[in-house]
Amino acid sequence: MEKKPHFVRREFLPREVPSISLALLLAAVLLLNALLYLYLNKFYNSLGRVEIDPGLCPFGHFKFGAVKNCSPWLSCEAINREVRKIKCVGEGAVKKVFLSEWKEKKVVLSQLTNSELKEDFLHGLKMLKALQSKHVVRLLGFCEQQFTILTEYHPLGSLRGLNETFHIPKYKGMNTWHRRLMLAIDYVSVIRYLHSSPLGTLVMCDSNDLDKVLSQYLLTSDFHVLVNDLDALPLVNRSAGRLVKCGHRELRGEFVAPEQRWPYGEDVPFEDDLMPPYDEKTDIWKIPDVSNFFLGHVEGSDIVRLHLFDIHAACKKKDPAERPSAQEVLDTYRKVLTLLIREAAMPGTREML
């Protein structure tokens, strides 16, 4: 008997399904990347990452709030006539700070308290005038004759109160690794700006401990960081052989950079004339400690620290020349932010592929 041939049906479907799934997955990844790019672009712009501040007025002018037009800095006469003190909200070695009112807007009036430190006060005013930008508190007016400075008011105060601010019900939802890393990026952006300022390379000398550093910066209502106190901001000029020393007293502790500490041991009494000067890399040494404060102990902050481990280790090099520049630190911070946002937006994608 003749056997009928058996026809074997080929099963194409099981082989085609994985190919289609993979194509769909790749298309989804590309779409997510496109959306992520648009999000990050909008994100950086909305959080002030663009270098040009559209709200910045010409030199000698200011605007703030909903006001569209720029006004000249207030003069002595205008300050005396139009500004009303409300209460004292702070006092340091150089000046006393008053919450005040100008044209129904809250402002800050700073006045010299120690005549022996008037040069520091006037230096701070000079820096405020010259460095007006998105990184620096807005100057509204001044009176050199009366040693008075008028600046914009920020109700959240200095960065010393950051953790307390995050405990306020209104801001609890912002207490995330994402927002905290953005604040650290803001801080490094300020350091980068000072190191490449219109005046040259400036060193933030009021930074001998963490609390002192935090007191020099303000937290804005939309959660940005502004430098507020510029009284101690000496200039480094390598080509002219000009380095700096932060004050005339001995600095101690692990927070300050090694080159800021007395190099001749306990047996040799400190003498300012024998203390070697240094450069802006002292600011780089302090970045990891300040950023550690910013990151706090929220969910995800340890992952951020892990990604920043190498750049922070480089910041802590004993030799200042081996430390990265503020621009290099800033670039790394931004790359880590982008990477972590991408991973958060597409969890498990790498394993699926």
Side-chain angles (χ1 to χ4, degrees):
M1 181 182 291
E2 185 179 346
K3 291 185 178 180
K4 293 183 180 180
H6 293 282
F7 293 96
V8 179
R9 184 170 58 186
R10 294 185 180 179
E11 300 288 346
F12 291 105
L13 191 57
R15 297 191 180 205
E16 291 176 353
V17 170
S19 300
I20 295 172
S21 299
L22 183 59
L24 290 173
L25 180 59
L26 287 173
V29 170
L30 290 173
L31 178 61
L32 278 172
N33 271 306
L35 292 173
L36 183 62
Y37 171 80
L38 293 173
Y39 167 75
L40 286 172
N41 187 55
K42 181 180 179 181
F43 182 77
Y44 279 127
N45 289 341
S46 66
L47 291 179
R49 298 302 90 207
V50 290
E51 291 302 321
I52 300 173
D53 182 358
L56 199 61
C57 292
F59 182 81
H61 295 74
F62 73 92
K63 67 176 179 179
F64 71 103
V67 178
K68 293 183 178 180
N69 298 324
C70 294
S71 303
W73 285 335
L74 300 185
S75 63
C76 295
E77 181 184 358
I79 291 174
N80 291 335
R81 184 180 65 250
E82 301 172 11
V83 177
R84 179 179 68 88
K85 291 181 184 176
I86 298 176
K87 63 178 179 179
C88 179
V89 292
E91 183 173 2
V94 179
K95 53 186 177 285
K96 186 178 287 188
V97 180
F98 296 89
L99 174 63
S100 305
E101 190 177 64
W102 173 70
K103 293 187 176 180
E104 300 183 346
K105 297 182 180 70
K106 289 180 178 178
V107 293
V108 173
L109 188 72
S110 302
Q111 291 184 317
L112 178 69
T113 55
N114 186 346
S115 59
E116 294 181 0
L117 298 175
K118 64 182 180 181
E119 293 302 321
D120 292 337
F121 184 91
L122 293 175
H123 176 75
L125 173 58
K126 177 185 175 182
M127 294 294 104
L128 265 179
K129 291 191 287 185
L131 298 175
Q132 284 295 288
S133 70
K134 65 178 183 178
H135 303 293
V136 179
V137 69
R138 192 162 295 162
L139 178 64
L140 308 180
F142 59 89
C143 180
E144 289 193 36
Q145 297 94 314
Q146 298 173 7
F147 297 99
T148 299
I149 299 173
L150 192 71
T151 55
E152 190 173 9
Y153 171 65
H154 293 280
L156 296 182
S158 79
L159 288 177
R160 284 190 294 190
L162 177 64
N163 290 323
E164 288 73 17
T165 298
F166 278 130
H167 288 139
I168 298 173
K170 179 181 177 180
Y171 300 113
K172 277 187 176 181
M174 304 181 78
N175 191 16
T176 64
W177 68 263
H178 176 268
R179 179 61 62 173
R180 284 176 171 271
L181 178 54
M182 281 305 307
L183 291 174
I185 289 174
D186 265 5
Y187 166 70
V188 177
S189 296
V190 173
I191 299 299
R192 189 278 310 267
Y193 175 68
L194 295 178
H195 288 185
S196 57
S197 81
L199 301 177
T201 302
L202 300 168
V203 181
M204 194 66 176
C205 265
D206 262 344
S207 56
N208 298 335
D209 57 64
L210 179 61
D211 191 64
K212 186 64 174 175
V213 170
L214 299 175
S215 71
Q216 309 301 304
Y217 296 85
L218 294 172
L219 179 64
T220 68
S221 297
D222 57 351
F223 274 68
H224 288 302
V225 174
L226 297 175
V227 63
N228 179 53
D229 196 331
L230 303 174
D231 295 345
L233 211 60
L235 179 68
V236 169
N237 188 339
R238 283 193 186 83
S239 60
R242 181 178 177 181
L243 300 177
V244 304
K245 287 192 286 187
C246 291
H248 304 287
R249 291 180 290 183
E250 183 178 1
L251 301 179
R252 297 176 179 269
E254 293 298 316
F255 188 84
V256 296
E259 63 271 22
Q260 292 184 280
R261 302 172 211 152
W262 179 242
Y264 303 116
E266 297 289 338
D267 296 334
V268 181
F270 177 82
E271 197 171 327
D272 185 44
D273 291 338
L274 298 178
M275 180 66 198
Y278 34 84
D279 62 17
E280 77 281 2
K281 290 298 183 74
T282 58
D283 290 333
I284 304 299
W285 171 273
K286 297 160 189 173
I287 286 176
D289 298 291
V290 181
S291 290
N292 188 54
F293 167 81
F294 279 123
L295 293 175
H297 300 285
V298 297
E299 182 180 356
S301 61
D302 286 342
I303 299 297
V304 179
R305 288 185 178 91
L306 184 62
H307 282 275
L308 296 176
F309 180 84
D310 288 342
I311 191 68
H312 283 173
C315 291
K316 290 294 188 179
K317 293 281 189 181
K318 188 172 182 180
D319 182 356
E322 294 181 4
R323 295 174 205 154
S325 66
Q327 182 66 61
E328 290 170 322
V329 178
L330 181 59
D331 289 343
T332 301
Y333 274 41
R334 286 175 170 171
K335 287 176 183 176
V336 168
L337 175 64
T338 302
L339 172 66
L340 292 177
I341 289 177
R342 181 180 290 119
E343 289 183 351
M346 298 181 294
T349 302
R350 191 176 303 165
E351 290 76 5
M352 292 170 69
L353 292 173

